[in-house]
Amino acid sequence: QVQLVESGGGSVQAGGSLRLSCAASGYTTSNYCMGWFSQAPGKEREGVAVIASDDSTSYRYSVKGRFTVSKDNRNLYLQMNSLKPEDTATYYCAAAYGVCPRSWREYTAWGQGTQVTVSS
């Protein structure tokens, strides 16, 4: 049973920074594709950043240059700099064994989410 637990969310002012963490149990991140997803109230869940088993990364266009995804053997991270009010959402980490899925619906392990609120 794979379990993921997010932490690091909170409330910050525009221009500030947060570092989200996702602790994984039962496996090592080296064999997985892992990603961060966000969902604002009333809106569709969408990908934020993904890191593959070979450490290659991809980002949603709106966060390029501001967010950085990284990992170690048991944790996934998202460094969020220059935060904007439109970044406000619940952030979820997710994992999928092997190749990165084409859709968020294909990730098989999810955390409970952590709230990020950016005020102006």
Side-chain angles (χ1 to χ4, degrees), residues 18-82:
L18 286 172
R19 183 175 173 83
L20 306 185
S21 298
C22 174
S25 63
Y27 69 102
T28 59
T29 61
S30 61
N31 296 322
Y32 286 77
C33 174
M34 303 194 72
W36 289 98
F37 300 82
S38 66
Q39 187 165 22
K43 297 184 178 180
E44 187 75 45
R45 183 172 300 190
E46 59 185 12
V48 177
V50 170
I51 183 165
S53 59
D54 65 357
D55 292 331
S56 61
T57 60
S58 61
Y59 297 88
R60 184 166 67 203
Y61 179 80
S62 63
V63 308
K64 287 183 177 180
R66 299 190 298 121
F67 293 5
T68 302
V69 63
S70 61
K71 65 178 182 180
D72 58 31
N73 286 339
R74 291 188 176 182
N75 298 277
L76 176 72
Y77 306 98
L78 185 68
Q79 180 65 47
M80 309 167 72
N81 297 326
S82 302

